[in-house]
Amino acid sequence: MSEQPKAGQLTLVAPRRAKPQRHLADLTMAERRAAVVELGEKPFRADQLSRHYFARLTGSPEQMTDLPGDSRDRLVEQLMPSLLTSVREITCDDGMTRKTLWKLFDGSLVESVLMRYPDRVTMCVSSQAGCGMNCPFCATGQAGLTRNMSTAEIVEQVVAGARALARGDVPGGPGRISNIVFMGMGEPMANYKAVVGAVHRLVDPAPEGLGISARGVTVSTVGLVPAIEKLSREGLPVTLAVSLHAPDDELRDTLVPINTRWKVAEVLDAAWNYAAITKRRISIEYALIKDINDQEWRADLLGRLLKGKLVHVNLIPLNPTPGSKWTASRPEDERAFVRRLEFHGVPVTVRDTRGREIDGACGQLAAATPV
């Protein structure tokens, strides 16, 4: 594991570590066909493998009866290796919320959370083992950054959830994942290439990918401006979520250390440009912290910054983490904050704290090993 960073210390470049084995989810369809040819097979075998993985959610060679027996095991071993090992699964909400602790090939630990609602199934996935952004109120950020995850390691979290739903393991009968949020461990924009690759595998139609609507995918960031600008040019109409947490630079420098690189105005300018290009509404994430950022004057300042923009504010009652001095706002302060934003005509909701009791809510993912 990484060392705990000093206050305000940023880690924008992940430590160099051994890479996981290549998986077909790391590759475009053209690259998959080239890979099976390297293994002495016909190019169409890549299409068959992809259909098993992305459309049928098949993981075992025995079920791939359309592949010749003498090459089936070798293709699966080389292009569909197991990348995640479940260490522990905890559920709450009568089994409708499930947090899984995964061990990666090198022992790194990450977490994902599946949340089933009456009208949708959302998966919160990790993009890094740990996080280098060092926000002081977030358990993941306090742990430091171990390494970037590969595209396939990110996708495998979703495929594992999709398999569990298809098997009927989640109460409510067989189902499908409709929404993906890159709000698990890590700063997605600091692992840009792998995350964009994962988004393609999630939204591309089968057999190239899982065929989830791009409008159901949300990529969050604390405000890496060059990466936001780059994402706006990708042609992927995913929702951008900006973890703002303070409308003024003085406070945000402390709460979100990346603000010492790119200030509030720069981050919001990049977000408005993203909205203009993609026609997608920006989600502003704002964790309400008692007596820190929940004052009415800050709500007014935030309202003035966001007024008239294609935006929605997602207020998050701060989720407690062990030993933290930070805590959630008083209910009356939360209500006053909402009223001030509504006064400015800014759409606002207070996020459901689903998963809080299993440390599966926002800011709580720390991938602790089981006792």
Side-chain angles (χ1 to χ4, degrees), residues 125 130 144 161 164 210 226 293 299 319:
V125 299
L210 285 168
N293 67 348
N319 294 301

Side-chain angles (χ1 to χ4, degrees), residues 89 91-100 113-117 120-123 160-177 354:
E89 187 167 272
T91 65
C92 64
D93 303 313
D94 298 320
M96 306 287 255
T97 301
R98 304 160 71 88
K99 181 176 80 164
T100 306
V113 184
L114 184 150
M115 295 160 282
R116 187 169 203 166
Y117 299 89
R120 67 191 187 282
V121 179
T122 297
M123 273 214 70
R163 286 172 177 163
L165 279 166
R167 289 193 302 264
D169 292 353
V170 183
R176 294 174 59 85
I177 292 169
R354 184 76 88 94

Side-chain angles (χ1 to χ4, degrees), residues 154-224:
I154 297 169
V155 172
E156 276 271 82
Q157 297 169 80
V158 181
V159 170
R163 286 172 177 163
L165 279 166
R167 289 193 302 264
D169 292 353
V170 183
R176 294 174 59 85
I177 292 169
S178 54
N179 298 77
I180 309 292
V181 293
F182 283 80
M183 295 181 179
M185 300 176 68
E187 161 56 49
M189 295 294 195
N191 187 17
Y192 186 88
K193 184 178 179 182
V195 165
V196 168
V199 171
H200 276 292
R201 305 303 171 264
L202 298 176
V203 306
D204 287 351
E208 293 187 34
L210 285 168
I212 296 169
S213 169
R215 292 177 174 269
V217 177
T218 298
V219 178
S220 71
T221 180
V222 291
L224 277 67

Side-chain angles (χ1 to χ4, degrees), residues 52 56-67 72:
H52 281 298
R56 297 177 187 144
L57 304 173
T58 303
S60 61
E62 299 77 34
Q63 295 175 284
M64 303 179 189
T65 52
D66 56 344
L67 293 169
R72 191 185 308 162

Side-chain angles (χ1 to χ4, degrees), residues 267-278:
V267 173
L268 291 180
D269 281 349
W272 307 147
N273 182 59
Y274 183 89
I277 291 172
T278 63

